[in-house]
Amino acid sequence: MKLAVIGTGYVGLVTGACFAEMGNHVVCVDVDQEKLVRLKRGEIPIYEPGLGEIVQRNFARGSLEFTDDSKAALDGTQVAMIAVGTPPGDDGSADLRYVLEVARGLGEHMTDYLVIADKSTVPVGTADKVSEEILRALEVRGVDIAYDVVSNPEFLKEGAAIEDFMRPDRIVLGTDSDRARELLSELYEPFSRTRDKLIFMGVRDAEMTKYAANAMLATKISFMNEIANLCELLDVDVENVRKGIGSDPRIGFSFIYPGCGYGGSCFPKDVKAIIGMAKEVDFSPIVMQAVEDRNQLQKYRLVERVLESYGEDLSGLIFGMWGLAFKPGTDDVREASSAVIIHELVKRGAIIQAFDPAAMTTIIQEINAEWVGEKVLLCADQYDAVKDADALILVTEWNLFRQPDFLAMERSMKRKAIFDGRNQYDSKRLREQGWEYVGIGR
């Protein structure tokens, strides 16, 4: 089957590459000329394990193309997938300008029946707006061409996107069209060999499903962070509480690890979007607003703990920081806690020595670039980051940081202090060894 994927960001590139890997002919469309040149050279603009190999392999054999020519991309295409960004507006609601621009372009260039699938995370009712844009463009051309707009949200985890796409736990498809349903069933058949993973529903239902899924996971994180903060005041170790409640199969262990807040391109944006959708229909999103509020406060929790130990004036103090990305397995630093912590400590006079296996370049976009090299030092490895440090701040739980050489750290650091933003270490053992240990809810 021939597909067009419009947008070569995280979702678009993974989607296009994986469909090509399964034998389809995929044309990825983007307006960013520099990115297209890099992709054709085999350079991947995002950090995602395994993606580079798939892109390079399928580009070499001709099953994956990159172009800025939307009209040519639609020639013989049966399914066009919209995978452009939907950044939050000033009020937190999703900005649909790029989605609707793509819809207009499809209406201007399509020549035969086409299924248009929204892969971008979009508010309820977006498919109707996309359909209207396409219809207006067709009317301007004076042509009558059949098409169906469906909702096909992605459920990819950064750092495991290839595995999630190739072996999905579910494939949500929102459509009322039998013709579109038949075509999409054929397209996704190779991904459902062991069992039927296709879940068909109404278009608006599918649009809401993506938001509800991310909001539920974000809620679990904020709930556990709130419990952790309460545990600190009650002299309770939240790690024992986590094990106690996670053993209940109705709750489970996923997403109940306390920390310094969630970030990335999905949870923060989608929670804000749900709040925006709710307010548009005069509904008070009490729970979602609490999830958002707790997460914003949680990003400052490690800063508060540092200030409790060192005071407001941090002049002359050096803090090693392990982890900059919002989670392991990615270089994504959007809405990352690391940026908040760096800003708050540096403005109080501290020097940050940071290391991350993937996000050393991307973090510069999220902090004051003038600080880099003077107030924020990007180090060669994790042990360089703690040299002469007054404390270590763990922000991202990369595997590399799970079992560090504490003896080497002790010899290198000025003060044996750890602020563990992900509760990675054995607090009792470290305290017995003379370390000042501060965790989240511990």
Side-chain angles (χ1 to χ4, degrees):
M1 190 177 297
K2 184 179 179 185
L3 316 175
V5 178
I6 298 90
T8 60
Y10 187 85
V11 173
L13 190 56
V14 171
T15 298
C18 289
F19 274 127
E21 182 76 357
M22 299 302 281
N24 299 287
H25 181 192
V26 181
V27 181
C28 289
V29 183
D30 206 293
V31 296
D32 188 333
Q33 294 291 331
E34 182 180 349
K35 182 188 286 187
L36 291 172
V37 170
R38 292 183 61 193
L39 287 169
K40 290 176 182 179
R41 288 200 302 249
E43 300 175 11
I44 308 303
I46 58 176
Y47 179 89
E48 181 60 42
L51 179 59
E53 293 86 341
I54 294 178
V55 169
Q56 292 161 10
R57 178 166 59 247
N58 286 279
F59 180 74
R61 69 188 183 194
S63 56
L64 182 62
E65 300 180 43
F66 299 102
T67 184
D68 63 347
D69 190 339
S70 299
K71 183 176 181 180
L74 291 179
D75 185 23
T77 293
Q78 296 163 282
V79 178
M81 296 191 164
I82 301 176
V84 294
T86 54
D90 293 337
D91 61 353
S93 61
D95 186 343
L96 296 177
R97 79 180 89 169
Y98 304 119
V99 171
L100 299 181
E101 283 178 12
V102 171
R104 270 193 303 277
L106 294 173
E108 291 167 355
H109 299 307
M110 59 189 289
T111 57
D112 203 351
Y113 172 75
L114 188 66
V115 170
I116 298 98
D118 281 333
K119 294 295 288 184
S120 301
T121 302
V122 293
V124 174
T126 298
D128 295 335
K129 296 178 181 179
V130 168
S131 184
E132 291 167 3
E133 286 291 335
I134 294 172
L135 182 59
R136 276 196 289 268
L138 292 174
E139 289 174 345
V140 169
R141 293 169 60 193
V143 296
D144 183 12
I145 302 173
Y147 65 92
D148 286 304
V149 179
V150 307
S151 175
N152 178 207
E154 51 81 21
F155 298 95
L156 307 177
K157 298 186 295 292
E158 292 191 45
I162 302 300
E163 178 70 15
D164 287 346
F165 197 101
M166 301 301 267
R167 296 177 178 82
D169 46 21
R170 81 280 206 197
I171 300 167
V172 173
L173 295 160
T175 181
D176 298 318
S177 163
D178 290 337
R179 189 174 182 182
R181 178 175 179 144
E182 182 178 345
L183 192 61
L184 291 170
S185 294
E186 178 186 346
L187 175 63
Y188 277 110
E189 191 275 334
F191 301 92
S192 302
R193 299 301 292 267
T194 57
R195 62 179 174 85
D196 186 7
K197 300 176 182 178
L198 301 183
I199 303 175
F200 284 97
M201 59 182 70
V203 177
R204 296 171 75 89
D205 304 340
E207 291 171 333
M208 188 63 182
T209 296
K210 174 56 188 287
Y211 278 113
N214 279 352
M216 182 70 246
L217 299 177
T219 299
K220 292 184 74 174
I221 295 171
S222 281
F223 169 83
M224 203 63 203
N225 283 334
E226 187 148 299
I227 291 295
N229 294 344
L230 180 58
C231 284
E232 288 179 10
L233 299 174
L234 297 175
D235 193 24
V236 172
D237 189 335
V238 74
E239 282 301 293
N240 292 326
V241 176
R242 179 185 65 79
K243 294 172 185 175
I245 66 174
S247 300
D248 186 332
R250 297 171 299 174
I251 299 173
F253 286 102
S254 297
F255 292 88
I256 63 166
Y257 290 84
C260 44
Y262 60 76
S265 62
C266 294
F267 289 5
K269 176 173 66 70
D270 293 352
V271 170
K272 291 184 179 76
I274 284 188
I275 293 171
M277 283 191 288
K279 291 180 177 178
E280 286 179 2
V281 292
D282 295 324
F283 178 80
S284 180
I286 297 172
V287 173
M288 289 296 92
Q289 189 63 62
V291 169
E292 165 68 7
D293 292 345
R294 167 50 57 204
N295 191 59
Q296 291 304 318
L297 291 171
Q298 198 68 18
K299 293 181 180 182
Y300 292 87
R301 190 65 193 120
L302 276 184
V303 175
E304 293 169 353
R305 300 305 299 275
V306 168
L307 298 182
E308 288 170 7
S309 296
Y310 293 85
E312 280 286 337
D313 185 2
L314 303 178
S315 300
L317 296 180
I318 298 173
F319 293 91
M321 180 175 287
W322 286 359
L324 297 168
F326 86 94
K327 60 175 276 188
T330 181
D331 64 349
D332 194 343
V333 294
R334 287 172 288 184
E335 301 273 355
S337 303
S338 60
V340 172
I341 296 169
I342 288 172
H343 180 266
E344 292 299 316
L345 298 187
V346 168
K347 78 177 186 180
R348 290 174 169 84
I351 294 174
I352 305 296
Q353 297 178 165
F355 173 74
D356 187 285
M360 300 286 274
T361 301
T362 51
I363 190 61
I364 299 173
Q365 305 165 11
E366 299 296 317
I367 62 174
N368 186 336
E370 295 179 357
W371 290 348
V372 177
E374 182 179 350
K375 298 178 180 179
V376 179
L377 308 179
L378 301 177
C379 300
D381 61 45
Q382 67 197 89
Y383 296 107
D384 278 348
V386 296
K387 186 177 180 180
D388 296 325
D390 292 279
L392 164 66
I393 301 174
L394 176 72
V395 180
T396 315
E397 65 277 29
W398 287 91
N399 287 338
L400 184 64
F401 305 145
R402 289 188 182 274
Q403 290 186 311
D405 186 339
F406 289 108
L407 289 177
M409 293 166 59
E410 181 178 344
R411 290 192 294 267
S412 178
M413 296 173 65
K414 289 180 185 175
R415 181 168 165 178
K416 294 172 60 178
I418 296 176
F419 292 85
D420 186 352
R422 300 297 175 183
N423 287 358
Q424 288 295 288
Y425 304 129
D426 185 332
S427 58
K428 181 179 179 181
R429 180 171 60 84
L430 287 176
R431 286 168 179 154
E432 289 175 348
Q433 294 175 357
W435 287 84
E436 301 172 55
Y437 176 90
V438 175
I440 302 294
R442 305 179 80 185

